Amino acid sequence: MRQSIVIGASGMIGAHLVETLGADERQPIATYHSTPIPSGIRLDIRKRFEVAGLFSDIQPSAVYLPAALPNVDYCESHPAETYQTNVAGIKNVVQAANNAGTRVIHFSTDFIFDGENGPYDETDTANPVSEYGRQKLEAEHFISLFAENFLIIRTTVVYGWEKQGKNFVFRLIQSLRNGTSVRVPVDQIGSPTYVNNLAQIAFELGNSSLQGIINVTGPDCVSRYAFALHAAEVFGLDKGLICPVTTAELAQPARRPMKAGLKTDRVSTLTKTPVIGYREGLKLMAQELTRPISSSDK
């Protein structure tokens, strides 16, 4: 049985994919770039020959590709640097996957939309307003045109436990526990997505014959502020430390799609695993309070 490979396994989505895939099939190969993980292989997707060599050696059945530089503001101020990972690196993986007969499951974002009329379905016209969104859209276009066997999973506002502690809910919990106030925008709307749920659905879809683009998010659209208040309530933290502000007050370098989010009508008909809303997702996250998940748990 050919193994799968997870590129970007040191990140939140990647680590949960490794755990999910490992529970149901032969243990996948896991790669990282800058943050080492146990039993992981260091891989720089910007280096075409390095990627080609790994695929030639492993001949994976599928590659799950959450690897990215997703810091939206950093992408805005470092477009050339981040392009090498978010676009050029993806192209290297696609070319290597084609040569090895490998199915590509790539993770994209609602940042490819302008946020004027969300939530969006899979057929809505993209119009990114940030460098990160433009890079993710270019990667989508390349995969759609040149990958021989692919699935693009669009997701957004992914939260859960993770080793690096970068996601919105994780950072919110840490700040509130420390008694630190947090400014949260009231005018950014999105679809919070529990990472465990995302990983399970991605595994199902990766094992299917489905091709093209599909949205995998939580079914609810909610403001960041309302989402933060509910997270604080679930974890028994002080909601008074959450300060509502407008996006303009945050003075972020990159524009955000304000009324964004993704529709999940299609995925709900295609998988046995149901998409779950943020209320249920936060409850499940709280139940795992003593067990932050990372690929090192294996």
Side-chain angles (χ1 to χ4, degrees), residues 37-82:
I37 55 175
S39 303
I41 297 173
R42 189 180 188 281
L43 177 69
D44 187 341
I45 61 173
R46 299 171 298 181
K47 298 179 179 179
R48 180 163 58 91
F49 292 108
E50 188 175 313
V51 176
L54 181 63
F55 274 72
S56 178
D57 291 343
I58 296 175
Q59 295 287 308
S61 58
V63 55
Y64 290 81
L65 191 52
L69 289 176
N71 186 307
V72 179
D73 293 328
Y74 190 84
C75 288
E76 201 70 20
S77 56
H78 299 80
E81 175 191 342
T82 54

Side-chain angles (χ1 to χ4, degrees), residues 26-292:
R26 186 179 176 187
Q27 183 67 23
I29 301 295
T31 81
Y32 67 91
H33 178 226
S34 57
T35 304
I37 55 175
S39 303
I41 297 173
R42 189 180 188 281
L43 177 69
D44 187 341
I45 61 173
R46 299 171 298 181
K47 298 179 179 179
R48 180 163 58 91
F49 292 108
E50 188 175 313
V51 176
L54 181 63
F55 274 72
S56 178
D57 291 343
I58 296 175
Q59 295 287 308
S61 58
V63 55
Y64 290 81
L65 191 52
L69 289 176
N71 186 307
V72 179
D73 293 328
Y74 190 84
C75 288
E76 201 70 20
S77 56
H78 299 80
E81 175 191 342
T82 54
Y83 183 93
Q84 291 306 308
T85 295
N86 291 340
V87 182
I90 302 306
K91 292 179 179 180
N92 291 338
V93 172
V94 169
Q95 291 163 353
N98 285 346
N99 291 335
T102 302
R103 176 166 166 81
V104 176
I105 300 97
H106 177 65
F107 291 79
S108 192
T109 172
D110 65 347
F111 270 69
I112 65 166
F113 298 108
D114 56 21
E116 296 293 329
N117 296 292
Y120 298 93
D121 68 23
E122 290 85 351
T123 62
D124 284 324
T125 301
N127 182 34
V129 294
S130 68
E131 178 64 24
Y132 175 66
R134 288 187 288 271
Q135 290 178 5
K136 296 298 284 188
L137 182 60
E138 184 173 342
E140 279 196 16
H141 284 164
F142 185 88
I143 293 168
S144 298
L145 287 171
F146 297 108
E148 294 173 2
N149 183 352
F150 76 93
L151 182 66
I152 295 169
I153 294 176
R154 289 178 182 157
T155 191
T156 185
V157 196
V158 182
Y159 65 93
W161 298 117
E162 62 168 317
K163 184 178 181 181
Q164 297 187 55
K166 293 181 178 180
N167 73 86
F168 173 71
V169 172
F170 193 105
R171 289 185 285 110
L172 176 75
I173 291 169
Q174 293 301 102
S175 295
L176 297 183
R177 281 178 175 169
N178 293 331
T180 304
S181 63
V182 182
R183 298 198 302 165
V184 180
V186 297
D187 52 356
Q188 290 183 27
I189 309 297
S191 306
T193 309
Y194 185 43
V195 67
N196 302 54
N197 191 224
L198 171 63
Q200 186 60 50
I201 293 174
F203 171 63
E204 267 194 71
L205 295 172
N207 275 345
S208 73
S209 60
L210 183 67
Q211 299 261 352
I213 298 171
I214 190 160
N215 296 338
V216 182
T217 70
D220 309 309
C221 281
V222 64
S223 73
R224 284 291 180 110
Y225 178 65
F227 181 42
L229 289 178
H230 194 76
E233 182 178 328
V234 168
F235 284 90
L237 300 169
D238 185 359
K239 292 190 286 186
L241 291 171
I242 302 173
C243 306
V245 296
T246 65
T247 296
E249 289 177 270
L250 294 174
Q252 296 166 310
R255 285 182 62 190
R256 266 61 173 176
M258 304 300 289
K259 187 181 178 184
L262 299 168
K263 296 179 181 178
T264 57
D265 299 355
R266 186 171 179 230
V267 71
S268 297
T269 68
L270 295 173
T271 59
K272 295 178 181 178
T273 304
V275 292
I276 62 174
Y278 69 90
R279 293 175 179 84
E280 182 180 353
L282 288 169
K283 287 180 182 178
L284 291 171
M285 184 179 173
Q287 290 171 11
E288 293 192 88
L289 187 59
T290 60
R291 183 178 175 266

